[in-house]
Amino acid sequence: MIRRIDALEAEAARAFDEARDSGALEQSRVRWLGRKSELTQLLRGLKDLPAPERAAVGARANRTREALEERYEAARARLGGASPPAASARDVTLPGRCLPRGHEHLISQVLREIRTIFHGMGFSLAEGPQVEDDRHNFGALNMPEGHPARAMTDTFYLKPGALLRTHTSSVQIRVMERQAPPVRIICPGRVFRNEAVDATHHFEFHQVEGLYVDENVSLADLKGTLEHFLKSFFGPETEIRFSPSYFPFVEPGAQVDIRCFFCGGKGCAVCGPLSEGWLEVLGAGMVHPNVFRAVGYDPERWTGYAFGAGIERLVMLRHGVPDLRVFFESDVRFVRQF
Ligand code: PHE
């Protein structure tokens, strides 16, 4: 077998030395060093040889392989170091392959926009957990156990005492617990309600909460802030209306509407037969003294306002999106439109 290897080495070496161009050299490389070459087969068959012979033949064959590889490299250098043929088959004029790029979701864009508007009025950003306890979602917000307003939203309970927050108002409590007044924050975030899903209801959506606490805060401050926000968001022509409403954690409480910009206030399918030309966009009010008491703020000294808006609702109105569900379906055809 060793003799066969010697003969093979001599023959291959000659082939490499005599190759006249890179094509011929490549053919010789395939023939003598390629995957199907005699030498490779032989190395592969080593394991079947009896042990003593295996060592001797193996060593010899490996040396031959190294020697031939050197010979081949030398021949390649002599022929001008032509690059391997695979490279010449590459068509450099072909257009490149595009990597698909992602697109920022409309809700994320709008959240950023809302943050910017409120930053401009001196609000900073606050965050709170989506899994909440009873106290932060209800109790400290003037909804003691058994309070009928707890039934205004159907709550997802994870276990007794642990729930998915039904509104971002829970973050009001968290912020006031860890910080002394004055407070001026907004908190955008995801909230959850056990709702049957349809075009205008979903079991998860986003809200943005606002809270301002200081001495001598008045309803006029609340109106001014929300007016600036709504005009920045919906355009300078936006008409705004406050009307009385009830939320346990504010007194007085208000519902904030904007004039329907689809029908200009005449009444249409969007603003509906009942609201007649107005679209409800926010809940708001002056912070209830019981909320201040729950977080250890003196209600005789501190005053404040709070508001909360549904982000999807704001976006549906501004962009004319008729169905809430598309926000959660991750369909890139929807996402890319904005
Ligand atoms: N948390 C209320 C809701 O989810 C909105 C709200 C926030 C109302 C703050 C008043 C003050 O509907």
Side-chain angles (χ1 to χ4, degrees):
M1 185 156 313
I2 300 236
R3 227 173 305 130
R4 176 62 203 137
I5 296 175
D6 283 343
L8 181 157
E9 180 172 340
E11 208 175 327
R14 202 176 332 113
F16 290 155
D17 290 348
E18 284 171 6
R20 262 175 296 114
D21 54 45
S22 53
L25 179 62
E26 175 58 14
Q27 268 180 13
S28 300
R29 187 192 67 76
V30 171
R31 161 113 212 260
W32 297 107
L33 288 172
R35 261 185 309 129
K36 292 192 181 138
S37 67
E38 190 178 342
L39 187 59
T40 304
Q41 299 292 335
L42 196 145
L43 281 164
R44 227 176 264 156
L46 277 180
K47 58 181 188 326
D48 302 325
L49 292 179
E53 206 177 329
R54 192 191 311 150
V57 174
R60 186 59 231 253
N62 272 322
R63 233 178 305 128
T64 295
R65 173 157 207 118
E66 276 161 31
L68 285 179
E69 270 163 7
E70 248 166 59
R71 262 316 224 286
Y72 164 74
E73 286 302 332
R76 210 156 75 99
R78 171 173 54 85
L79 292 172
S83 41
S88 61
R90 221 166 266 159
D91 182 352
V92 293
T93 64
L94 280 175
R97 256 177 237 147
C98 289
L99 292 175
R101 257 207 283 153
H103 188 90
E104 192 178 34
H105 197 284
L106 179 58
I107 296 292
S108 306
Q109 293 178 33
V110 166
L111 285 174
R112 188 149 35 77
E113 182 184 340
I114 291 176
R115 282 200 303 267
T116 306
I117 297 172
F118 281 104
H119 282 169
M121 292 190 279
F123 285 77
S124 50
L125 198 66
E127 270 184 327
Q130 293 177 0
V131 175
E132 263 301 0
D133 53 38
D134 193 273
R135 171 181 151 76
H136 290 92
N137 198 78
F138 294 123
L141 286 163
N142 197 27
M143 281 182 270
E145 231 158 279
H147 194 287
R150 286 185 176 217
M152 273 164 50
T153 59
D154 275 315
T155 310
F156 283 120
Y157 284 92
L158 304 173
K159 59 181 187 190
L163 49 88
L164 294 178
R165 67 179 179 198
T166 59
H167 52 186
T168 43
S169 300
S170 55
V171 185
Q172 292 185 31
I173 304 301
R174 295 216 166 252
V175 170
M176 288 191 283
E177 276 174 346
R178 51 169 194 254
Q179 175 185 337
V183 171
R184 199 197 301 235
I185 55 106
I186 56 159
C187 167
R190 214 173 261 244
V191 301
F192 306 86
R193 293 180 188 183
N194 192 357
E195 305 254 15
V197 175
D198 65 26
T200 53
H201 298 87
H202 210 282
F203 52 79
E204 61 176 336
F205 55 98
H206 295 80
Q207 285 188 331
V208 61
E209 191 82 9
L211 174 69
Y212 178 38
V213 181
D214 206 336
E215 286 169 336
N216 302 317
V217 178
S218 73
L219 197 62
D221 296 318
L222 172 63
K223 287 185 78 170
T225 304
L226 290 183
E227 184 153 342
H228 176 72
F229 165 58
L230 292 169
K231 287 192 166 168
S232 306
F233 189 81
F234 287 107
E237 307 300 318
T238 309
E239 260 184 88
I240 293 146
R241 176 176 87 170
F242 280 63
S243 42
S245 184
Y246 174 72
F247 301 95
F249 34 93
V250 287
E251 179 58 37
Q255 153 183 341
V256 184
D257 304 335
I258 58 172
R259 176 83 78 183
C260 179
F261 39 66
F262 293 102
C263 64
K266 288 198 280 300
C268 67
V270 177
C271 54
L274 288 177
S275 46
E276 278 163 2
W278 293 91
L279 300 161
E280 182 187 347
V281 288
L282 277 158
M286 303 307 290
V287 179
H288 197 289
N290 285 347
V291 175
F292 283 149
R293 281 188 197 104
V295 296
Y297 283 13
D298 177 3
E300 298 300 324
R301 174 165 179 210
W302 302 108
T303 45
Y305 63 69
F307 57 85
I311 305 286
E312 281 80 2
R313 181 162 169 83
L314 295 179
V315 174
M316 286 167 82
L317 292 175
R318 189 173 74 174
H319 294 272
V321 177
D323 193 324
L324 176 59
R325 288 168 287 198
V326 294
F327 291 119
F328 298 95
E329 281 167 357
S330 305
D331 186 332
V332 289
R333 290 169 304 178
F334 171 71
V335 174
R336 287 225 179 91
Q337 282 177 59
F338 303 98

